[in-house]
Amino acid sequence: MTAPRLTLPSPAKLNLMLHILGRRADGYHELQTLFQFVDYGDEITFAVRDDGVIQLHTEFAGVPHDSNLIVRAAKMLQQQSGCPLGIDIWIDKVLPMGGGIGGGSSNAATTLLGLNHLWQLGWDEDRLAALGLSLGADVPVFVRGHAAFAEGVGEKLTPVEPEEPWYLVLVPQVSVSTAEIFSDPLLTRNTPPIKVRPVPEGNSRNDCLPVVARRYPEVRNALDLLGKFTEAKLTGTGSCVFGGFPSKAEADKVSALLTETLTGFVAKGSNVSMLHRKLQSLL
Ligand SMILES: C[C@](O)(CO)[C@H](O)COP(=O)(O)OP(=O)(O)OC[C@H]1O[C@@H](n2ccc(N)nc2=O)[C@H](O)[C@@H]1O
Ligand SMILES: Nc1ncnc2c1ncn2[C@@H]1O[C@H](COP(=O)(O)OP(=O)(O)OP(=O)(O)O)[C@@H](O)[C@H]1O
């Protein structure tokens, strides 16, 4: 008998602002950032196996299975929970890699929450978020599934309710290495912390933008194009660039101007992740 399959969404995130406050002794940077999800992402399908094997069936160009965050998340959860079960995994990958929209981190979180459900582990969100943090700074917010103001390296999360506009997200044909941007000597690392909550208007800057735009002409082009229609922002360390619109029709109108060399997608901003909405509907 074949095991029943469960398909779960793995949405992208946007950083609505990103300030770098300083650098810690371990090289990681202290940030203040606002995370919001969009209703657009990958889909991951899971089927439980009873032999304990963890098998990813979809190939990723340039990412060996052992370093894939999906496989790493599954193995870590299996090890730490002592679960004897295994899993077959397939992914429909639409999110660009190195785009600053957190595709890998989101995949890791969907895997943790999906397996917690299917293996019936009963782990709470705190425990899953702590495991997630060991896989990447962006994983905890995807585990929590709520728009958040993040501090520390991104793990200290306070839920927030920003507006939920339609976004046009531009995807320049270039992958940006997060580590490379954070090690650039020209990066601004001394932005004073915002102490007032909610974050006051006028703090939508991304401190990574000047360094990314300087290194990547493709990102500069995207910022220039979108900037003709709305405030154009960089998410994370790029490469993706996004802007908000009051309606889908207005975002679609600008999207229609895109070409093969600069693609993009239109998606609704969402303060509750698609993953959590789907999991809620299963209960
Ligand atoms: C820029 C953001 O996308 C904002 O959401 C994240 O902070 C990056 O999160 P991420 O991709 O999960 O990053 P990780 O995989 O944890 O780190 C990749 C590399 O970026 C650098 N890094 C990352 C996060 C951070 N707060 N400070 C850093 O200096 C480190 O060199 C690290 O080795
Ligand atoms: N399941 C996965 N999906 C995407 N990338 C993965 C995955 N597993 C490992 N990786 C590796 O992680 C790198 C970063 O991928 P990711 O899609 O998270 O980038 P990103 O959107 O820039 O993330 P962030 O916003 O967290 O900086 C990839 O270039 C790839 O080598």
Side-chain angles (χ1 to χ4, degrees):
M1 204 184 74
T2 50
R5 294 181 174 202
L6 174 67
T7 298
L8 293 174
S10 187
K13 59 84 176 167
L14 297 174
N15 296 94
L16 304 186
M17 50 75 75
L18 194 160
H19 291 179
I20 303 176
L21 314 185
R23 193 167 11 184
R24 302 193 317 200
D26 64 2
Y28 265 74
H29 289 74
E30 292 276 351
L31 312 174
Q32 285 188 325
T33 184
L34 260 177
F35 285 112
Q36 188 179 47
F37 305 102
V38 287
D39 285 350
Y40 181 85
D42 303 333
E43 286 202 324
I44 309 184
T45 298
F46 302 96
V48 174
R49 332 173 26 135
D50 54 18
D51 60 1
V53 172
I54 287 167
Q55 177 82 57
L56 175 63
H57 294 272
T58 313
E59 294 301 324
F60 276 56
V63 186
H65 280 187
D66 276 354
S67 50
N68 194 302
L69 284 159
I70 297 174
V71 175
R72 290 179 54 211
K75 287 198 169 153
M76 220 180 235
L77 187 64
Q78 188 190 46
Q79 221 166 36
Q80 292 191 17
S81 66
C83 181
L85 299 171
I87 199 82
D88 283 313
I89 309 174
W90 298 262
I91 177 165
D92 181 10
K93 188 85 192 160
V94 300
L95 298 177
M97 296 201 251
I101 54 178
S105 309
S106 178
N107 290 172
T110 295
T111 303
L112 293 176
L113 269 64
L115 297 191
N116 186 44
H117 177 81
L118 287 168
W119 288 345
Q120 301 185 344
L121 302 178
W123 277 35
D124 64 19
E125 233 172 66
D126 288 351
R127 225 173 147 191
L128 291 166
L131 192 163
L133 181 61
S134 68
L135 293 162
D138 279 348
V139 181
V141 73
F142 286 108
V143 168
R144 304 276 183 193
H146 202 286
F149 181 67
E151 298 175 276
V153 298
E155 85 292 3
K156 287 182 209 149
L157 299 166
T158 308
V160 289
E161 297 286 346
E163 279 177 37
E164 297 176 325
W166 283 89
Y167 290 109
L168 172 58
V169 181
L170 301 188
V171 184
Q173 304 296 297
V174 58
S175 173
V176 175
S177 149
T178 300
E180 174 197 302
I181 299 307
F182 276 115
S183 60
D184 192 306
L186 294 178
L187 189 68
T188 297
R189 298 185 167 84
N190 59 355
T191 295
I194 302 168
K195 297 198 173 128
V196 190
R197 305 285 179 277
V199 176
E201 293 278 319
N203 280 292
S204 67
R205 194 179 73 245
N206 181 336
D207 282 336
C208 300
L209 188 146
V211 165
V212 177
R214 193 167 160 273
R215 286 171 172 259
Y216 295 96
E218 297 89 341
V219 175
R220 276 203 307 274
N221 290 343
L223 287 164
D224 288 348
L225 174 73
L226 193 57
K228 294 193 176 108
F229 304 94
T230 184
E231 186 191 355
K233 303 205 261 186
L234 184 78
T235 175
T237 51
S239 61
C240 290
V241 164
F242 68 98
F245 292 86
S247 69
K248 180 171 186 305
E250 282 170 75
D252 281 338
K253 221 174 355 177
V254 180
S255 175
L257 305 174
L258 299 179
T259 58
E260 257 173 32
T261 51
L262 180 57
T263 60
F265 59 88
V266 170
K268 182 89 165 67
S270 177
N271 293 336
V272 177
S273 121
M274 293 197 287
L275 170 62
H276 289 68
R277 292 184 340 242
K278 173 79 189 257
L279 284 170
Q280 201 60 41
S281 76
L282 297 176
L283 297 177

